[in-house]
Amino acid sequence: MLKLGLEVPKRTLGYLLIVFLAASFLGYAFAIGNPDAAMEAVKRLAEQIGPISDSSFENFVKIFTNNSMVALFMLLSGLFFGLGPWLIMAFNGFVVGLVVRAVQESGELSFPQIILGLIPHGIIEIPAIALAGVSGIVWYREIVRGEGETGERFRRGAEKALKLFAVSVLLLLVAAFIEAYVTPRVAGV
């Protein structure tokens, strides 16, 4: 439990992180067996994301904005029977595994550089995204299982969810700073 009156369902958070990790391994394995499909997926992803700026600040804003939108989607998707965050974590994990293998296969970066490109910010970013998913699940569970009138349960769930979501966004702010300013130096890219 965190202070400030936040109750974090640690088991749900842990399971979401396990789903992400397992899907990452599946994405990596898929890319080994399907290198052309993996490279094509990475090219499409790079086109969607757009070029990396020479300005660390521009990258910071872009990363934070993107990750905050993902977090918001995680929150809202939790309202759909509590299933959305699980699917989004699995999809994102699969993509990370796919990208890691495709970049490794391309030979542009060494495996240690790839890992150093993920760990410094990922250690904060991935749990923050998972926490946003937990916030949506908490909201859904309160609506379905809480006591009182439906409107009261909805409001109470929203309050709990928004507190967790706010922590998630603050963590994403820190992760975006690290990804824009620290990760490139640590990974040597």
Side-chain angles (χ1 to χ4, degrees):
M1 223 186 274
L2 297 172
K3 294 190 182 198
L4 304 172
L6 294 177
E7 291 183 37
V8 179
K10 292 179 185 135
R11 184 176 292 180
T12 303
L13 180 64
Y15 287 152
L16 281 170
L17 293 171
I18 290 168
V19 165
F20 180 88
L21 188 60
S24 296
F25 285 116
L26 288 174
Y28 189 88
F30 176 83
I32 288 172
N34 303 282
D36 292 337
M39 282 299 215
E40 185 60 34
V42 169
K43 285 178 188 174
R44 276 189 258 134
L45 183 63
E47 287 172 7
Q48 284 181 331
I49 294 171
I52 296 172
S53 173
D54 290 335
S55 165
S56 294
F57 182 74
E58 284 181 30
N59 290 330
F60 165 75
V61 170
K62 186 175 183 179
I63 292 164
F64 177 68
T65 302
N66 179 64
N67 289 342
S68 295
M69 294 308 294
V70 171
L72 180 61
F73 190 58
M74 289 286 282
L75 165 70
L76 297 175
S77 73
L79 293 173
F80 294 101
F81 309 105
L83 297 175
W86 303 97
L87 299 173
I88 295 168
M89 286 300 283
F91 175 77
N92 283 319
F94 188 87
V95 169
V96 166
L98 193 82
V99 168
V100 166
R101 179 59 187 170
V103 170
Q104 184 182 21
E105 188 70 25
S106 75
E108 292 178 29
L109 299 173
S110 68
F111 193 70
Q113 281 180 304
I114 295 168
I115 297 304
L116 288 172
L118 293 172
I119 297 288
H121 69 277
I123 205 162
I124 298 170
E125 181 180 303
I126 296 165
I129 294 291
L131 184 60
V134 168
S135 70
I137 293 168
V138 162
W139 193 355
Y140 172 74
R141 287 179 182 165
E142 185 64 34
I143 292 168
V144 174
R145 299 181 190 160
E147 294 186 19
E149 298 286 326
T150 304
E152 181 184 329
R153 294 191 318 256
F154 185 89
R155 183 194 52 74
R156 199 171 46 241
E159 286 177 8
K160 291 177 181 180
L162 290 175
K163 286 179 183 178
L164 293 172
F165 181 73
V167 172
S168 170
V169 170
L170 288 173
L171 290 171
L172 289 173
L173 188 67
V174 172
F177 179 85
I178 293 169
E179 187 172 359
Y181 291 96
V182 177
T183 295
R185 288 172 179 79
V186 171
V189 293

